[in-house]
Structures are given as C-alpha cells and as structure tokens.
Amino acid sequence: MKIVFWISAFALFYAMIGYPISLIILEKILKRKNIKDYSKNPEVSMIISAYNEEKVIEKKLINITKSDYKNLEIIIANDCSDDRTVEIAEEFIKNNPSYDIKIVTAKNHYGKTNAQNEACQKARGEILVFSDANSMFKADAIKELVSFFTDDSIEYVCGSLIYAKDDDISSYVAENAYWNMELRMRKIESEISTIAAGNGAIYACRKKDYRHYNLVSSHDYEMPLHAGLNKKRALYNEDAIALEKAGATTKDEFKRKIRMQRRILTNIFTNLKRLNIFKLGWFSFFHFNHKTLRFLQSFFHIVLYISNIFLLNNGFIYKLSFALQNLFFLLAILGKITDSKSKILYFPRYYSMMMLAQIIGAYRQLSGKSKATWEKAESTR
C-alpha cells in the first residue's frame, strides 16, 4: 500500500510540477527555434465551425475579413443551426460580395467534427485554417499560421488562444493561470520537436494531410497525435493569436471540461504505440507526460486518497497527507458554496472541477453517453 501511495503521489507531483520543470531545463540545454517563411502565399480555406451562433457570427465574419491575408476562402461549417446563424451570414455575404464566403451546411446535426469534415470536402485551399465562431483572430494570425509550414515534415500548426480579461468573469483567473503554463509547455515542446496537443480555436493543416476522425473526437487531440505517430511535426506558433472569453461561470467551464474528456478512456488505452519512445522519440516523451499522465490525474487522486486511509497508522507523514488532502477538498467545497473569487478558495475549486470532469467523462464514455454534439457556454458569445 505504501508503494501504491508513493507512486500516486509522485505521478501527481510530476504531472503538474515535475514535467514543466523538466521542459524548462530542456529548453535551456537545447535552445532550438522554429523558423518562419512569409514568402509563400498559398490559398487558404478558413473553416469556421458554427452551431446556433447568431450572437457572434457577424462579428466573426467582420473579424476574418479584416485579416491581412488576402488569398482567402471563408467557409462557415454550419452544423444544422436552427437559429438565425445562416440568415445573418447570408445577409453579410450579400452585403460584402468582394469576399469569397460560402456556407456549407452539414447533412445532419452530428457535431463539430462532422461539420468540419463536410466543409473540408468543399474547400479549395492548400492550407486549411480552423476556428470557432466566438474566437476572434488578430489581423496577422492566418499569416502567422501559414508561415510555419516551411516543409512537408510539418503537418499541423496551432496558434495561441488568449482568454479575454473581464472582471465579471470569475473563471478568468484560474483558467489563465493554468492556460499560461500550458502555452509555455507547448512552446518548448514545439521548439524541441513536436507538441502533444493543440487547441480548437486557432489551428491549421495542409488539405492533403486532413483526416476524417471519429465524430466524438476533437482535432486538438487527434491531429497532433497522428502527426507524431507518422513521425511528422505538430507545431505551436505563439504569434498566431486568437482571443476568446473564458466561461462566465464555473458551470460554463465545467460543461466545457466534461466535453473535453468525452473520449478520455479511448485516449488512454488506444494508439499505445504512441508510448514507444525508442521509435517516436521526443513525441512519445511529450505525449506520455503532457497528455497520458494528465488523463490519469483523477485516477491517481482516488488511489492516493484510498491508500492514504489504509496508511493512517503508519506514521505522521500519512496523517499529514490525509489532512492536507481533506483541507484541499474542503476549500474546494467552500469555494463552490460561497462562489468566492478568492484564490485560496477558487483554485482548489477549479482544480477539483477539472478532476471531476475527468471522472464524469470516463463514466459517460463507459455508459455510451458521450456525444459528438456540444452545449455552448452562451456567456462566451
């Protein structure tokens, strides 16, 4: 039981603290940088995922038409919206005939990935750029994404998603503290070799490299994974920037976290060749530490807590550990009850929310309740 306890404790410590530190050390030793090439101007198809986006679709189209990248086709991947999304988009297209904008409506409401698949079949561009309707690009974001496709070994490029600051958005502090660390890790992985995960708000791939994935899957996990498995590179360009609000309530964020974990068990137990460090090198190292250990965090917490109960009479360290775990969960509960923005309550609450989302995601997958469609946080629109 002591072995179980210390393995779980080390796994949790390493996933959250040890691995980021190891990356910082590697960055100092290797000192690699990705190069950019602004000389090429391939046609780009911008795929905007949209499901009931009447609140933001016009703003998004205005945002993209202000891009400084002009060799651009804009496609709205409409996942069978039943609000005014299409009506508003059609009006914008009518009033702005100089822009190449079209709407591709999916045959069925099967979710984001399906809508993207159908839109990509109609896309002309050599490079496909993907975005959500509520993610606003900086004017040079598309140019920055394209600049990283310097050779055929680079299959995927994602940009930097920045969460909007809003004093009334309680999840901003916790989300950005976590996200800033995530982006730093991603930057180092990208410069050394390849990233383990992207994000769904701003990313790109060559059309010839686009694959159709399981409809419950997400591109931000699958695309870097399959690039790595094929010994190609998935990169992160911090200068390709999109802006998005964090969920205005913890409830919004909780729904989003659960959706992100809808294939958590599949992600852990399939494509096990990803763990072959002798064949895949840095990608295997990054993916195991950055993704697999993260997917197992809630499991390690459960094992740590249960093993700790059995070890309470085995010395002060186990009593202290048990007390600290209970204190952490108590602070999380108090944060939930009081809805406090105090860091001492909000961080335990936010972290516990992420762990609970993993458990619910695993349960839903086991029970067959994982679905490809999604519920948006309306407050981010």
Side-chain angles (χ1 to χ4, degrees):
M1 196 60 71
K2 288 181 179 179
I3 292 172
V4 170
F5 174 88
W6 286 108
I7 288 176
S8 300
F10 176 77
L12 289 168
F13 171 83
Y14 181 75
M16 295 302 297
I17 300 174
Y19 178 57
I21 291 174
S22 71
L23 282 180
I24 292 171
I25 294 172
L26 285 170
E27 181 185 33
K28 301 296 183 183
I29 296 172
L30 299 176
K31 296 181 179 178
R32 298 179 180 176
K33 296 291 182 184
N34 291 312
I35 62 173
K36 299 179 181 181
D37 182 0
Y38 296 109
S39 65
K40 297 178 181 178
N41 187 42
E43 183 174 16
V44 169
S45 292
M46 174 82 193
I47 312 294
I48 302 170
S49 303
Y51 173 64
N52 287 356
E53 303 290 358
E54 62 181 14
K55 294 181 180 179
V56 295
I57 191 63
E58 183 176 14
K59 181 180 177 182
K60 177 67 175 182
L61 290 172
I62 292 171
N63 170 252
I64 295 302
T65 53
K66 289 182 178 179
S67 169
D68 61 12
Y69 198 91
K70 301 307 178 186
N71 193 8
L72 183 64
E73 172 191 40
I74 302 171
I75 300 176
I76 300 169
N78 173 38
D79 185 27
C80 300
S81 298
D82 55 16
D83 66 350
R84 297 182 61 245
T85 297
V86 172
E87 178 186 341
I88 294 170
E90 288 177 339
E91 184 68 18
F92 185 90
I93 293 170
K94 178 182 177 181
N95 294 332
N96 296 271
S98 60
Y99 297 104
D100 184 3
I101 307 172
K102 62 172 65 73
I103 302 168
V104 176
T105 297
K107 296 180 180 68
N108 297 285
H109 176 43
Y110 288 157
K112 178 179 178 179
T113 301
N114 177 70
Q116 289 171 321
N117 287 343
E118 295 192 26
C120 289
Q121 291 176 354
K122 304 290 181 65
R124 298 191 312 265
E126 177 186 340
I127 302 291
L128 305 177
V129 172
F130 298 86
S131 179
D132 294 327
N134 62 320
S135 302
M136 302 300 152
F137 280 27
K138 283 190 65 176
D140 64 349
I142 296 175
K143 179 179 70 176
E144 286 292 338
L145 288 173
V146 172
S147 74
F148 258 38
F149 288 97
T150 54
D151 61 66
D152 280 342
S153 70
I154 298 164
E155 186 170 298
Y156 169 94
V157 178
C158 77
S160 180
L161 176 62
I162 306 298
Y163 285 96
K165 184 172 175 126
D166 185 336
D167 292 335
D168 294 326
I169 295 177
S170 60
S171 62
Y172 166 76
V173 175
E175 181 69 21
N176 262 26
Y178 168 81
W179 191 241
N180 289 340
M181 180 183 74
E182 177 73 19
L183 294 182
R184 176 74 188 279
M185 292 166 61
R186 196 170 291 177
K187 180 175 184 291
I188 298 171
E189 290 172 349
S190 177
E191 290 177 345
I192 293 174
S193 178
T194 185
I195 59 176
N199 72 69
I202 176 168
Y203 62 103
C205 71
R206 289 186 179 85
K207 185 175 181 180
K208 68 182 181 66
D209 292 325
Y210 185 81
R211 301 176 181 87
H212 286 214
Y213 301 101
N214 183 293
L215 298 187
V216 186
S217 300
S218 59
H219 286 172
D220 50 330
Y221 177 78
E222 298 289 351
M223 283 189 170
L225 171 64
H226 284 273
L229 291 175
N230 287 302
K231 296 185 177 181
K232 291 196 172 185
R233 301 181 70 196
L235 302 182
Y236 164 68
N237 183 349
E238 65 180 338
D239 296 321
I241 296 173
L243 184 69
E244 187 175 305
K245 287 184 183 179
T249 67
T250 306
K251 184 178 180 181
D252 288 337
E253 285 298 301
F254 189 43
K255 288 180 180 179
R256 187 169 71 91
K257 296 297 183 186
I258 292 173
R259 180 173 62 82
M260 290 167 62
Q261 305 299 335
R262 60 190 176 180
R263 279 176 56 86
I264 184 171
L265 298 178
T266 299
N267 294 341
I268 293 172
F269 296 113
T270 60
N271 288 306
L272 293 181
K273 61 182 178 180
R274 73 184 189 276
L275 305 179
N276 188 345
I277 195 169
F278 300 103
K279 182 178 180 180
L280 300 177
W282 284 117
F283 169 75
S284 183
F285 176 73
F286 294 155
H287 202 279
F288 175 74
N289 288 287
H290 197 156
K291 298 305 295 182
T292 304
L293 282 182
R294 293 279 186 93
F295 288 140
L296 290 167
Q297 267 181 267
S298 59
F299 168 79
F300 285 127
H301 272 291
I302 293 170
V303 172
L304 182 71
Y305 193 86
I306 293 174
S307 62
N308 204 159
I309 293 174
F310 285 94
L311 294 169
L312 284 174
N313 295 323
N314 284 260
F316 172 75
I317 189 69
Y318 298 106
K319 290 183 174 66
L320 177 62
S321 170
F322 194 65
L324 290 175
Q325 289 182 76
N326 284 305
L327 175 61
F328 186 85
F329 295 134
L330 177 61
L331 291 174
I333 293 169
L334 288 175
K336 170 66 175 176
I337 293 172
T338 62
D339 201 26
S340 171
K341 296 181 183 180
S342 167
K343 291 182 180 180
I344 198 170
L345 295 180
Y346 196 83
F347 277 105
R349 177 187 179 186
Y350 188 83
Y351 181 84
S352 298
M353 175 190 74
M354 291 195 297
M355 295 303 98
L356 182 58
Q358 286 190 346
I359 295 169
I360 294 174
Y363 166 75
R364 288 188 176 179
Q365 186 169 11
L366 282 172
S367 61
K369 294 180 179 179
S370 292
K371 57 183 182 179
T373 55
W374 75 98
E375 294 180 52
K376 306 186 302 297
E378 292 300 332
S379 53
T380 67
R381 264 66 188 163

